Amino acid sequence: MDVLLSSATLTNQGCVMARPSFPVNLSSSGSVSVLGFSLPSLKTTCRRHHEIGVTRASVAVEQQTQKTRVALIRIGTRGSPLALAQAYETRDKLMASHTELAEEGAIEIVIIKTTGDKILSQPLADIGGKGLFTKEIDEALLNSDVDIAVHSMKDVPTYLPEKTILPCNLPREDVRDAFISLSAASLAELPAGSVVGTASLRRKSQILHRYPSLKVEENFRGNVQTRLRKLNEGVVQATLLALAGLKRLNMTENVTSILSIDDMLPAVAQGAIGIACRSDDDKMANYIASLNHEETRLAVACERAFLLTLDGSCRTPIAGYASKDEDGNCIFKGLVASPDGTRVLETSRKGPYAYDDMVEMGKDAGKELLSRAGPGFFDS
């Protein structure tokens, strides 16, 4: 049956539990930690309204009178609808691959509020630091409050916390960006002076490089539903969102058009989900390794080697994408830009689709762009 949940927080075993407002579907396997109760597992659903992608919610929390069995796996995740969709994708794959995990209560979802979720009044670049959307989840993992952590790979810093490993990437979703507007079919059709909302410096710099007559609202924060609501309210004339997220939320009906890779090079690891565990937990490592999609893992490794070489952060406009061509080779494209979009430097590499070769390609491409950029490039 469908119920609706709304926000609530609770400190429990060092984890901050949070619940966003969105409709969910109750099923019989797994559970979710909310308000100290154990709820049946949730699968996000989205409904179409007259306005783009705005979901509505009220409160309904069902208390179970009997405590469920101790979960075999506790999955740590952020509480946004998209993060939960990724956590449930992970849960479903684990249940399908391991019969003992398909039993009721075997998998629990633990929702953890991160720094990036708490501070919504500032652009990400102004908050600074790394791991804005992963730090608290990693801490819960290291404290054994959860057994595995599910992350959007583009949020994961290039250095993993000590005593953790990330041996699994799920099959990658579409890496392209989606253009969404109520008044124009594409970026090119937006009138001069139109405001595009995006918190991403990568998107901002590429937009301004191609369309300098447009303006960009940097502090365009919040989950997918929040950003679409701001678009409906006329705060901006258009926005760009990762197509992968819209697909995972079943919200592609909101897409006006899809930008090609050549028009908007994606973020490093965009569309990829990563699953981490403690380095000394062989049982969990084996569980999640069974879900690994090797082609995705290698592509993400290549892109992250590029990012690491550039020492990229939220303050740095960097894009990178590795893919397999029709001959089975790796094609890597990388880009760095000045924040104002006046300068964009691009490079590419081609080589064998193998881990060592691809990591080396990413590093080499990063070194080239560092050399070409010179000191002070990212300060403009």
Side-chain angles (χ1 to χ4, degrees), residues 281-331:
D281 194 337
D282 292 340
K283 184 176 182 180
M284 292 301 142
N286 289 332
Y287 271 139
I288 61 180
S290 69
L291 306 184
N292 181 58
H293 186 254
E294 189 66 2
E295 182 176 327
T296 298
R297 188 183 76 88
L298 297 185
V300 168
C302 177
E303 296 164 19
R304 283 168 60 82
F306 173 71
L307 183 66
L308 176 61
T309 302
L310 291 167
D311 192 28
S313 70
C314 289
R315 300 191 63 85
T316 313
I318 296 174
Y321 176 49
S323 60
K324 184 180 286 187
D325 69 9
E326 56 190 16
D327 297 321
N329 293 311
C330 174
I331 303 295

Side-chain angles (χ1 to χ4, degrees), residues 223-252:
N223 62 33
V224 171
Q225 288 81 356
T226 299
R227 283 181 274 180
L228 292 177
R229 175 178 55 77
K230 291 179 181 179
L231 176 63
N232 285 320
E233 294 171 350
V235 176
V236 296
Q237 283 70 61
T239 188
L240 300 184
L241 295 173
L243 183 58
L246 294 170
K247 285 190 171 186
R248 290 186 174 121
L249 289 169
N250 296 315
M251 295 178 67
T252 53

